[in-house]
Amino acid sequence: MEIDYTNIKVIGFDADDTLWVNETYFRDAELEFSKLMAAYETANKVDQELFKRQIENLPFYGYGIKGFILSMVEIALELSNNSVSNETIGAILNIGKDMLNKPVELLDGVNEVLHTLSQDYRLIVVTKGDLLDQERKLKKSGLLDYFHHIEVVSDKQEANYSKLLNHLEIKPSEFLMIGNSLKSDILPLINIKARAIHVPFHTTWIHEQVVPNKPDNKKFETINSLVDLLPMLNKNRNDKHKR
Amino acid sequence: MEIDYTNIKVIGFDADDTLWVNETYFRDAELEFSKLMAAYETANKVDQELFKRQIENLPFYGYGIKGFILSMVEIALELSNNSVSNETIGAILNIGKDMLNKPVELLDGVNEVLHTLSQDYRLIVVTKGDLLDQERKLKKSGLLDYFHHIEVVSDKQEANYSKLLNHLEIKPSEFLMIGNSLKSDILPLINIKARAIHVPFHTTWIHEQVVPNKPDNKKFETINSLVDLLPMLNKNRNDKHKR
């Protein structure tokens, strides 16, 4: 399969787990939380209950760390049958504050890739989650100057992307999205006739997992690392020059 | 003092306590919280400690209900010296969820004013706080169709407004902001040479209160209700026609 990227003018990047580490911090936090709950339930059960509660709470709390903390507190009260200590509740709140203070750890090659692509394309960030937390990470990342626009959305469904492209006056056919989540960064774009390249992160939150698409329906490419983007788009530009 | 609004093309509206009731719900929640804490401290002291903690937590949690809930839990642990019951923690979480489920109660004349102004001006919303919660309220409000653009910002300082006007290609001299907070909706606009009209809400969060400006520095007008906007801007347009 060959996909043609020659007419791409704008490239959108997901942020968490595409530009920098994120899911790892959530996994570490879940591990700490299951240790705090060890007196009441197995780690496995704690994980399951927390995941279920996060999904149930999405309409109230949305994505992001604050909702995650609140869900942990709810589950601690419930799994302990209202007998968990105040110290444990305090420890849960601290897990959250530690997450909000984490340094921003860029993934391999991010600086190089953005630097190179920013010379030929308009780059934007499309990220979901907590507005303040995403702004904090973007500032800490040192990457802000590469981007023409930052959009923090409350969800990444087709309608969110269509609205954004419309607002920024970008034609779907000229837009390429790069991200680690098939569900949030890839499939909605394919459905609105934009393009997308999948860069899986080693860990994916269950909520972001989807059934892999069938081979005959394969309308996007998958790469191992952001640095693979450069030859793909370069090759593409060379082809264009040859024609 | 006469301020000339003839060249205004875009009107920005704050949302909470300008288009709909908000602060009242926070006050009710604080009252409930101080009742839950009555065994440990006076209502006055509980209020003070909660306020202080919210301000300290702003860099972590930002504005909005989720940070408010987390601050209440922190204060409950501290004021009780880690002896508050799990049931009380649960009750605090419920205060938060109730807030997130509150109906949207429009202030007087909002529909009429937006309907009329939308025929002559481009209207936008500039609101700070939690992205998902603000989107929820805008949807529930039934007002979305009046607005060309909705911007949820993490803070409302001069730089936030300048960036937004720049992004939307609005000249400050053609922009009028309407809001209830001198600190967030009025003074930053005056400082960037845009205009602003103050519509005080009966209740203002202490954090939004500023020392009233001196009479000789009065560069904005204050009205009692959004409906007062119509004659002001109409009168203005009539004057223009006369010249």
Side-chain angles (χ1 to χ4, degrees):
Chain A
M1 176 203 53
E2 282 284 320
I3 293 178
D4 182 17
Y5 301 105
T6 38
N7 61 338
I8 294 297
K9 290 186 178 160
V10 184
I11 305 181
F13 287 86
D14 170 53
D16 290 338
D17 300 320
T18 297
L19 299 177
W20 53 66
V21 173
N22 175 63
E23 187 56 27
T24 312
Y25 297 146
F26 276 90
R27 292 295 162 105
D28 291 347
E30 283 163 7
L31 193 65
E32 271 191 77
F33 179 61
S34 66
K35 281 180 191 162
L36 288 173
M37 292 292 102
Y40 309 107
E41 278 295 351
T42 63
N44 218 359
K45 173 79 174 170
V46 173
D47 271 359
Q48 279 173 20
E49 292 298 318
L50 178 58
F51 173 70
K52 262 172 54 188
R53 182 56 52 91
Q54 283 178 270
I55 303 304
E56 286 163 15
N57 280 338
L58 276 182
F60 300 103
Y61 298 149
Y63 296 95
I65 294 173
K66 285 179 287 184
F68 177 68
I69 311 171
L70 288 165
S71 291
M72 283 194 287
V73 176
E74 288 183 15
I75 291 299
L77 298 178
E78 286 184 23
L79 290 186
S80 73
N81 202 12
N82 275 344
S83 70
V84 70
S85 74
N86 277 203
E87 285 76 9
T88 299
I89 304 279
I92 293 170
L93 298 182
N94 283 335
I95 291 176
K97 281 208 171 155
D98 285 348
M99 290 176 83
L100 290 167
N101 269 324
K102 280 268 191 282
V104 171
E105 194 184 328
L106 295 184
L107 294 176
D108 276 355
V110 165
N111 251 309
E112 175 203 347
V113 169
L114 294 179
H115 176 76
T116 304
L117 293 180
S118 66
Q119 291 163 21
D120 290 312
Y121 300 92
R122 199 146 61 98
L123 307 184
I124 69 173
V125 170
V126 188
T127 177
K128 80 181 170 192
D130 189 75
L131 185 61
L132 184 73
D133 192 41
Q134 293 294 334
E135 287 182 353
R136 171 187 73 81
K137 288 194 274 194
L138 274 157
K139 267 183 209 152
K140 277 194 186 173
S141 75
L143 302 175
L144 270 175
D145 285 349
Y146 293 128
F147 297 108
H148 281 76
H149 183 78
I150 310 289
E151 188 79 18
V152 182
V153 290
S154 61
D155 207 349
K156 280 180 159 180
Q157 303 192 10
E158 289 170 35
N160 305 88
Y161 282 109
S162 292
K163 206 174 133 193
L164 175 64
L165 295 187
N166 192 36
H167 172 60
L168 296 178
E169 296 175 358
I170 301 167
K171 291 181 198 158
S173 61
E174 298 177 348
F175 185 66
L176 169 67
M177 182 74 193
I178 314 286
N180 73 298
S181 166
L182 278 179
K183 180 181 174 185
S184 296
D185 305 319
I186 310 300
L187 300 181
L189 281 298
I190 303 304
N191 290 340
I192 64 164
K193 313 280 182 216
R195 268 157 291 171
I197 294 178
H198 187 214
V199 196
F201 188 63
H202 55 80
T203 313
T204 304
W205 188 30
I206 313 173
H207 178 61
E208 296 292 333
Q209 289 173 10
V210 288
V211 181
N213 60 327
K214 300 158 207 152
D216 63 314
N217 189 28
K218 193 139 183 93
K219 290 178 178 154
F220 61 88
E221 297 185 276
T222 299
I223 56 181
N224 284 322
S225 160
L226 271 193
V227 293
D228 299 341
L229 269 181
L230 296 181
M232 283 172 84
L233 296 172
N234 265 323
K235 172 180 166 299
N236 214 273
R237 280 190 294 162
N238 292 340
D239 286 353
K240 193 182 179 184
H241 290 149
K242 277 186 222 148
R243 265 178 238 143
Chain B
M1 177 204 55
E2 283 283 321
I3 293 179
D4 183 16
Y5 301 106
T6 38
N7 60 338
I8 293 299
K9 290 186 178 159
V10 183
I11 305 180
F13 287 86
D14 169 53
D16 289 339
D17 300 320
T18 298
L19 299 178
W20 52 66
V21 173
N22 175 63
E23 187 56 26
T24 312
Y25 298 146
F26 276 89
R27 292 297 163 104
D28 291 347
E30 284 163 7
L31 192 66
E32 272 191 77
F33 179 62
S34 67
K35 281 180 191 162
L36 290 173
M37 293 291 103
Y40 309 106
E41 278 295 352
T42 63
N44 217 0
K45 175 78 173 167
V46 173
D47 271 359
Q48 278 172 21
E49 292 299 317
L50 178 58
F51 173 69
K52 263 172 54 189
R53 182 56 52 91
Q54 283 179 268
I55 303 305
E56 287 163 17
N57 279 338
L58 276 182
F60 300 103
Y61 299 150
Y63 295 94
I65 293 172
K66 285 179 287 186
F68 178 67
I69 312 172
L70 289 165
S71 291
M72 283 195 287
V73 176
E74 288 183 15
I75 290 299
L77 298 178
E78 286 185 23
L79 290 186
S80 73
N81 202 13
N82 275 343
S83 69
V84 69
S85 74
N86 276 205
E87 286 75 11
T88 299
I89 304 279
I92 293 170
L93 298 182
N94 283 334
I95 292 175
K97 282 208 170 153
D98 285 347
M99 290 175 82
L100 290 166
N101 268 324
K102 279 269 190 281
V104 170
E105 193 183 328
L106 294 184
L107 294 176
D108 276 353
V110 165
N111 250 309
E112 174 203 348
V113 169
L114 295 179
H115 176 76
T116 305
L117 293 180
S118 66
Q119 291 164 20
D120 291 310
Y121 301 91
R122 198 147 59 99
L123 307 184
I124 68 173
V125 171
V126 188
T127 177
K128 80 181 171 194
D130 189 75
L131 185 60
L132 184 72
D133 192 40
Q134 293 294 334
E135 287 182 352
R136 172 188 72 81
K137 288 194 276 194
L138 274 158
K139 266 183 212 152
K140 276 194 188 173
S141 74
L143 302 174
L144 270 174
D145 284 348
Y146 294 128
F147 296 108
H148 280 75
H149 183 78
I150 309 288
E151 188 78 18
V152 182
V153 292
S154 61
D155 207 350
K156 282 181 158 179
Q157 302 192 9
E158 289 170 33
N160 305 88
Y161 283 109
S162 293
K163 206 174 133 194
L164 176 65
L165 295 186
N166 192 36
H167 172 60
L168 297 177
E169 296 176 356
I170 301 167
K171 291 181 198 158
S173 62
E174 297 176 347
F175 184 67
L176 170 65
M177 181 75 194
I178 315 288
N180 74 297
S181 166
L182 278 178
K183 181 181 173 185
S184 296
D185 305 319
I186 310 300
L187 300 181
L189 281 299
I190 304 303
N191 290 339
I192 63 166
K193 313 282 183 214
R195 269 157 291 171
I197 294 178
H198 187 213
V199 196
F201 188 63
H202 56 79
T203 314
T204 305
W205 189 30
I206 313 173
H207 178 63
E208 296 291 334
Q209 289 173 11
V210 289
V211 180
N213 61 329
K214 299 158 208 153
D216 65 314
N217 189 27
K218 193 138 183 90
K219 290 175 177 159
F220 61 89
E221 297 184 276
T222 299
I223 56 180
N224 284 322
S225 160
L226 272 193
V227 292
D228 298 340
L229 269 180
L230 296 181
M232 283 172 82
L233 296 172
N234 265 322
K235 173 182 166 296
N236 213 274
R237 281 190 295 164
N238 293 339
D239 287 353
K240 191 183 178 183
H241 290 151
K242 276 185 219 148
R243 266 178 239 141

PDB file of all heavy atoms in Angstrom, chain B residues 82-98:
ATOM      1  N   ASN B  82      -7.050  14.702  60.233  1.00  0.00           N
ATOM      2  CA  ASN B  82      -7.156  13.328  59.721  1.00  0.00           C
ATOM      3  C   ASN B  82      -8.125  12.441  60.495  1.00  0.00           C
ATOM      4  O   ASN B  82      -7.872  11.247  60.703  1.00  0.00           O
ATOM      5  CB  ASN B  82      -5.776  12.661  59.669  1.00  0.00           C
ATOM      6  CG  ASN B  82      -5.024  12.992  58.392  1.00  0.00           C
ATOM      7  OD1 ASN B  82      -5.624  13.451  57.415  1.00  0.00           O
ATOM      8  ND2 ASN B  82      -3.723  12.776  58.394  1.00  0.00           N
ATOM      9  N   SER B  83      -9.233  13.037  60.922  1.00  0.00           N
ATOM     10  CA  SER B  83     -10.210  12.210  61.634  1.00  0.00           C
ATOM     11  C   SER B  83     -11.618  12.321  61.029  1.00  0.00           C
ATOM     12  O   SER B  83     -12.586  11.852  61.625  1.00  0.00           O
ATOM     13  CB  SER B  83     -10.252  12.608  63.106  1.00  0.00           C
ATOM     14  OG  SER B  83     -10.821  13.898  63.241  1.00  0.00           O
ATOM     15  N   VAL B  84     -11.713  12.916  59.871  1.00  0.00           N
ATOM     16  CA  VAL B  84     -13.029  13.068  59.254  1.00  0.00           C
ATOM     17  C   VAL B  84     -13.513  11.690  58.747  1.00  0.00           C
ATOM     18  O   VAL B  84     -12.689  10.850  58.358  1.00  0.00           O
ATOM     19  CB  VAL B  84     -12.955  14.116  58.104  1.00  0.00           C
ATOM     20  CG1 VAL B  84     -12.151  13.601  56.921  1.00  0.00           C
ATOM     21  CG2 VAL B  84     -14.338  14.543  57.667  1.00  0.00           C
ATOM     22  N   SER B  85     -14.811  11.474  58.790  1.00  0.00           N
ATOM     23  CA  SER B  85     -15.321  10.150  58.394  1.00  0.00           C
ATOM     24  C   SER B  85     -15.329   9.979  56.880  1.00  0.00           C
ATOM     25  O   SER B  85     -15.406  10.963  56.132  1.00  0.00           O
ATOM     26  CB  SER B  85     -16.743   9.960  58.923  1.00  0.00           C
ATOM     27  OG  SER B  85     -17.642  10.750  58.152  1.00  0.00           O
ATOM     28  N   ASN B  86     -15.267   8.748  56.450  1.00  0.00           N
ATOM     29  CA  ASN B  86     -15.373   8.435  55.021  1.00  0.00           C
ATOM     30  C   ASN B  86     -16.708   8.919  54.466  1.00  0.00           C
ATOM     31  O   ASN B  86     -16.790   9.330  53.313  1.00  0.00           O
ATOM     32  CB  ASN B  86     -15.245   6.925  54.793  1.00  0.00           C
ATOM     33  CG  ASN B  86     -13.790   6.469  54.718  1.00  0.00           C
ATOM     34  OD1 ASN B  86     -13.470   5.452  54.129  1.00  0.00           O
ATOM     35  ND2 ASN B  86     -12.877   7.225  55.315  1.00  0.00           N
ATOM     36  N   GLU B  87     -17.741   8.859  55.279  1.00  0.00           N
ATOM     37  CA  GLU B  87     -19.054   9.320  54.829  1.00  0.00           C
ATOM     38  C   GLU B  87     -19.002  10.811  54.480  1.00  0.00           C
ATOM     39  O   GLU B  87     -19.627  11.255  53.503  1.00  0.00           O
ATOM     40  CB  GLU B  87     -20.123   9.072  55.902  1.00  0.00           C
ATOM     41  CG  GLU B  87     -20.546   7.611  56.057  1.00  0.00           C
ATOM     42  CD  GLU B  87     -19.514   6.731  56.776  1.00  0.00           C
ATOM     43  OE1 GLU B  87     -18.529   7.287  57.349  1.00  0.00           O
ATOM     44  OE2 GLU B  87     -19.669   5.499  56.767  1.00  0.00           O
ATOM     45  N   THR B  88     -18.273  11.570  55.282  1.00  0.00           N
ATOM     46  CA  THR B  88     -18.152  13.012  54.995  1.00  0.00           C
ATOM     47  C   THR B  88     -17.370  13.246  53.699  1.00  0.00           C
ATOM     48  O   THR B  88     -17.742  14.090  52.886  1.00  0.00           O
ATOM     49  CB  THR B  88     -17.493  13.740  56.183  1.00  0.00           C
ATOM     50  OG1 THR B  88     -18.323  13.555  57.330  1.00  0.00           O
ATOM     51  CG2 THR B  88     -17.326  15.217  55.917  1.00  0.00           C
ATOM     52  N   ILE B  89     -16.290  12.479  53.509  1.00  0.00           N
ATOM     53  CA  ILE B  89     -15.541  12.598  52.238  1.00  0.00           C
ATOM     54  C   ILE B  89     -16.484  12.296  51.067  1.00  0.00           C
ATOM     55  O   ILE B  89     -16.498  13.013  50.057  1.00  0.00           O
ATOM     56  CB  ILE B  89     -14.346  11.612  52.197  1.00  0.00           C
ATOM     57  CG1 ILE B  89     -13.405  11.807  53.401  1.00  0.00           C
ATOM     58  CG2 ILE B  89     -13.596  11.718  50.867  1.00  0.00           C
ATOM     59  CD1 ILE B  89     -12.426  12.910  53.285  1.00  0.00           C
ATOM     60  N   GLY B  90     -17.265  11.245  51.225  1.00  0.00           N
ATOM     61  CA  GLY B  90     -18.234  10.897  50.181  1.00  0.00           C
ATOM     62  C   GLY B  90     -19.226  12.026  49.936  1.00  0.00           C
ATOM     63  O   GLY B  90     -19.570  12.329  48.790  1.00  0.00           O
ATOM     64  N   ALA B  91     -19.667  12.662  51.030  1.00  0.00           N
ATOM     65  CA  ALA B  91     -20.624  13.770  50.893  1.00  0.00           C
ATOM     66  C   ALA B  91     -19.987  14.942  50.145  1.00  0.00           C
ATOM     67  O   ALA B  91     -20.648  15.622  49.347  1.00  0.00           O
ATOM     68  CB  ALA B  91     -21.106  14.215  52.274  1.00  0.00           C
ATOM     69  N   ILE B  92     -18.692  15.173  50.379  1.00  0.00           N
ATOM     70  CA  ILE B  92     -17.993  16.258  49.661  1.00  0.00           C
ATOM     71  C   ILE B  92     -17.940  15.945  48.161  1.00  0.00           C
ATOM     72  O   ILE B  92     -18.213  16.811  47.319  1.00  0.00           O
ATOM     73  CB  ILE B  92     -16.566  16.451  50.227  1.00  0.00           C
ATOM     74  CG1 ILE B  92     -16.644  16.979  51.668  1.00  0.00           C
ATOM     75  CG2 ILE B  92     -15.736  17.375  49.339  1.00  0.00           C
ATOM     76  CD1 ILE B  92     -15.313  16.967  52.401  1.00  0.00           C
ATOM     77  N   LEU B  93     -17.614  14.694  47.830  1.00  0.00           N
ATOM     78  CA  LEU B  93     -17.589  14.320  46.403  1.00  0.00           C
ATOM     79  C   LEU B  93     -18.971  14.519  45.774  1.00  0.00           C
ATOM     80  O   LEU B  93     -19.080  14.948  44.624  1.00  0.00           O
ATOM     81  CB  LEU B  93     -17.131  12.868  46.234  1.00  0.00           C
ATOM     82  CG  LEU B  93     -15.712  12.530  46.712  1.00  0.00           C
ATOM     83  CD1 LEU B  93     -15.394  11.064  46.440  1.00  0.00           C
ATOM     84  CD2 LEU B  93     -14.654  13.420  46.042  1.00  0.00           C
ATOM     85  N   ASN B  94     -20.003  14.235  46.554  1.00  0.00           N
ATOM     86  CA  ASN B  94     -21.361  14.417  46.017  1.00  0.00           C
ATOM     87  C   ASN B  94     -21.724  15.883  45.808  1.00  0.00           C
ATOM     88  O   ASN B  94     -22.448  16.216  44.865  1.00  0.00           O
ATOM     89  CB  ASN B  94     -22.391  13.757  46.931  1.00  0.00           C
ATOM     90  CG  ASN B  94     -22.403  12.249  46.732  1.00  0.00           C
ATOM     91  OD1 ASN B  94     -22.038  11.760  45.662  1.00  0.00           O
ATOM     92  ND2 ASN B  94     -22.799  11.516  47.768  1.00  0.00           N
ATOM     93  N   ILE B  95     -21.236  16.744  46.685  1.00  0.00           N
ATOM     94  CA  ILE B  95     -21.445  18.183  46.463  1.00  0.00           C
ATOM     95  C   ILE B  95     -20.922  18.544  45.072  1.00  0.00           C
ATOM     96  O   ILE B  95     -21.564  19.238  44.298  1.00  0.00           O
ATOM     97  CB  ILE B  95     -20.703  19.040  47.530  1.00  0.00           C
ATOM     98  CG1 ILE B  95     -21.343  18.863  48.916  1.00  0.00           C
ATOM     99  CG2 ILE B  95     -20.695  20.521  47.133  1.00  0.00           C
ATOM    100  CD1 ILE B  95     -20.591  19.593  50.044  1.00  0.00           C
ATOM    101  N   GLY B  96     -19.738  18.031  44.760  1.00  0.00           N
ATOM    102  CA  GLY B  96     -19.128  18.316  43.462  1.00  0.00           C
ATOM    103  C   GLY B  96     -19.955  17.787  42.308  1.00  0.00           C
ATOM    104  O   GLY B  96     -20.213  18.503  41.332  1.00  0.00           O
ATOM    105  N   LYS B  97     -20.360  16.535  42.410  1.00  0.00           N
ATOM    106  CA  LYS B  97     -21.139  15.952  41.304  1.00  0.00           C
ATOM    107  C   LYS B  97     -22.463  16.693  41.120  1.00  0.00           C
ATOM    108  O   LYS B  97     -22.922  16.887  39.992  1.00  0.00           O
ATOM    109  CB  LYS B  97     -21.374  14.463  41.542  1.00  0.00           C
ATOM    110  CG  LYS B  97     -20.125  13.647  41.194  1.00  0.00           C
ATOM    111  CD  LYS B  97     -20.458  12.237  40.753  1.00  0.00           C
ATOM    112  CE  LYS B  97     -19.208  11.573  40.198  1.00  0.00           C
ATOM    113  NZ  LYS B  97     -19.240  10.110  40.344  1.00  0.00           N
ATOM    114  N   ASP B  98     -23.074  17.100  42.242  1.00  0.00           N
ATOM    115  CA  ASP B  98     -24.311  17.890  42.137  1.00  0.00           C
ATOM    116  C   ASP B  98     -24.056  19.190  41.381  1.00  0.00           C
ATOM    117  O   ASP B  98     -24.869  19.611  40.546  1.00  0.00           O
ATOM    118  CB  ASP B  98     -24.865  18.224  43.531  1.00  0.00           C
ATOM    119  CG  ASP B  98     -25.522  17.014  44.186  1.00  0.00           C
ATOM    120  OD1 ASP B  98     -25.754  16.007  43.470  1.00  0.00           O
ATOM    121  OD2 ASP B  98     -25.779  17.066  45.394  1.00  0.00           O
TER     122      ASP B  98
END
